[in-house]
Amino acid sequence: MSTVVDLRDDAEQVSRAAADYFIRAAREAVLRSGRFRVALAGGSTPRRMYQLLAEPERASQVDWSKVDFFWGDERTVGPDHADSNYRMARDAFLAPLGITSAQIIRMAAEKADLAAAAREYQVQIARMFGVPADGPPPAFDLILAGMGKDGHTLSLFPHTQALEEGERWVVENEVPQQQTRRMTFSARLTNRALRVLFVVAGPDKQPALAQVLEGVSNPSEYPSQLISARETTWLVDRAAAGALKRTRPVVRRPVLLAPSILAADFLKLGEEIRAVDAAGADRIHIDVMDGHFVPNISFGAVVCQAARRATTRPLECHLMISEPDRYLDAFAEAGADSILVHVEGANNLHRTLQRIRSLGKGVGVVLNPATPAGAIREVLELVDLVLVMTVNPGFGGQSFVPATLSKIRQIRAWIDEYHPACELEVDGGIDPRTAPLAVEAGANILVAGSAIFGAQDGIPAAINRLNGVSRV
Ligand code: DX5
Ligand code: ZN
């Protein structure tokens, strides 16, 4: 679970950032599962976000045919009523984008029997996700949420029955303080989501936001405290965040490119290294493989030595080898600027990292896709770089593993909190489609082999393309 507070100047900037977040979440979901299932929110800030998504510049970035739209809550009004959350979204972007009715799963909260309507909505959700309606809730790719000045979210209002719901995914909720009833996702369903995005703007939200994010736990008073998804992002403006103590604007880092020479033409390796150097590569990534730690053999320190003569760019040696301690000196003497070793391949990782440091080289630690982020938590402050493998190591040209994105986000959160100077690199299947996802998750260095050396239109175009899509 991670909670990120992303501070923006004003409501318009919050809406713009939220629209861009939506686009990235959609891309990631479609890459991962082929569909993007999102629950929309009501309110003025979401409305502006929807309008921005309907504009050609942003609309063209989403394959809308792969999106299924739900609502996280609804008032007890019909679909054409001025207060309807459905109507607001329909008018702001669903109709302008020509979204088909099959993709729109509306909460029929106008029905007299609200409990039955909530049950029916749960059945519809189950059907769309292809899961039993009485099992554990499915995981929405994204649930959008606002926050009221009383700290409510969705239609989970302070001291109302819905806060206690421990089973159902969707419930009816009596809201005496508003003399109304609502239909709403329960916290149980909401917290199963891969991502929850709160959008909060305006000075009237300031006291509640400080209580929700930094006050003592009191969810019956501040129901937004009930929400903690795999990744919870609060996009807030300065007016709403004025009373927060711990908000740092999310740092936007320059994204660096590290071409992997594993994919270069070995018949002209020097030329290829000079070509990526001239095209603006920030460093050269040297993939060393021993045929034991990974099922492939590439090259040893002698190639690092040769690369040293071809470029002045930093050389980072990614040692995909067993017992890397045996070769640290050789790569240090061959001209490596940094040496990256795998958690999985070091008998005593802490000592190995210290040894690299003692050689005066940059220190990197690497995790394979199956290795949890926690495996590097104890050595994070020792290293200059964490490399998250986004493929299983051994070969170039493999497909990106989307499940690594949540690990990247987790490690980014730790770096921002405990070791801000540390770099976060990804390696494997990085191309113009996956690069923005990795950057949005928190990577600031991209290793790419086939996307650069294998590009039909040549190295400069390939590097420009990757640079272009990596500005988040
Ligand atoms: C481990 C190697 C590859 C390489 C990148 O397999 O580390 O990931 O650098 O190769 P591409 O960019 O072609 O996936
Ligand atoms: Zn590598």
Side-chain angles (χ1 to χ4, degrees), residues 309-326:
R309 298 199 305 273
T311 178
T312 56
R313 300 280 181 182
L315 302 181
E316 58 177 29
C317 290
H318 173 192
L319 303 189
M320 288 168 271
I321 64 175
S322 303
E323 299 173 57
D325 295 76
R326 296 172 299 154

Side-chain angles (χ1 to χ4, degrees), residues 166-396:
E167 271 310 304
R168 291 181 293 166
W169 312 349
V170 185
V171 292
E172 72 288 0
N173 197 23
E174 297 293 336
V175 188
Q177 59 266 50
Q178 306 234 346
Q179 291 92 41
T180 185
R181 299 186 310 155
R182 296 284 186 90
M183 189 189 295
T184 183
F185 277 12
S186 62
R188 185 183 182 220
L189 172 60
T190 307
N191 287 337
R192 286 270 300 155
L194 298 179
R195 298 164 175 248
V196 169
L197 176 64
F198 281 93
V199 286
V200 183
D204 62 337
K205 309 287 177 72
Q206 200 178 105
L209 188 64
Q211 285 300 327
V212 167
L213 290 180
E214 296 179 351
V216 294
S217 174
N218 185 4
S220 57
E221 190 66 37
Y222 296 102
S224 295
Q225 287 184 340
L226 287 170
I227 305 308
S228 173
R230 184 192 281 198
E231 180 204 324
T232 307
T233 298
W234 289 79
L235 259 172
V236 302
D237 73 352
R238 291 193 184 287
L244 289 184
K245 300 184 194 65
R246 280 202 314 268
T247 307
R248 280 195 314 272
V250 174
V251 174
R252 297 277 168 245
R253 305 157 214 92
V255 177
L256 307 180
L257 280 187
S260 159
I261 61 169
L262 184 72
D265 178 348
F266 277 44
L267 278 178
K268 49 180 187 171
L269 186 56
E271 257 178 73
E272 300 259 87
I273 292 173
R274 280 189 283 275
V276 291
D277 181 339
D282 298 286
R283 56 185 73 172
I284 306 297
H285 188 83
I286 299 179
D287 278 319
V288 180
M289 301 178 181
D290 65 0
H292 180 255
F293 178 72
V294 291
N296 190 13
I297 296 176
S298 62
F299 33 69
V302 66
V303 168
C304 178
Q305 218 164 25
R308 187 68 291 162
R309 298 199 305 273
T311 178
T312 56
R313 300 280 181 182
L315 302 181
E316 58 177 29
C317 290
H318 173 192
L319 303 189
M320 288 168 271
I321 64 175
S322 303
E323 299 173 57
D325 295 76
R326 296 172 299 154
Y327 296 95
L328 300 180
D329 293 76
F331 280 94
E333 282 148 30
D337 294 282
S338 59
I339 300 176
L340 286 52
V341 294
H342 274 256
V343 164
E344 306 88 353
N347 297 330
N348 185 322
L349 179 65
H350 191 278
R351 181 182 297 132
T352 301
L353 299 173
Q354 285 180 318
R355 176 83 181 100
I356 298 172
R357 180 69 72 205
S358 71
L359 290 167
K361 300 300 175 185
V363 183
V365 66
V366 192
L367 296 143
N368 284 337
T371 305
I376 57 102
R377 181 61 195 89
E378 302 308 320
V379 295
L380 180 62
E381 284 82 351
L382 280 184
V383 303
D384 305 305
L385 177 144
V386 177
L387 169 55
V388 176
M389 291 306 294
T390 42
V391 295
N392 287 303
F395 301 92

Side-chain angles (χ1 to χ4, degrees), residues 40-41 50 71 84-96:
L40 302 179
Y50 302 157
W71 275 261
S84 162
N85 290 341
Y86 158 78
R87 174 181 165 183
M88 184 274 275
R90 179 195 69 193
D91 297 350
F93 76 141
L94 300 182

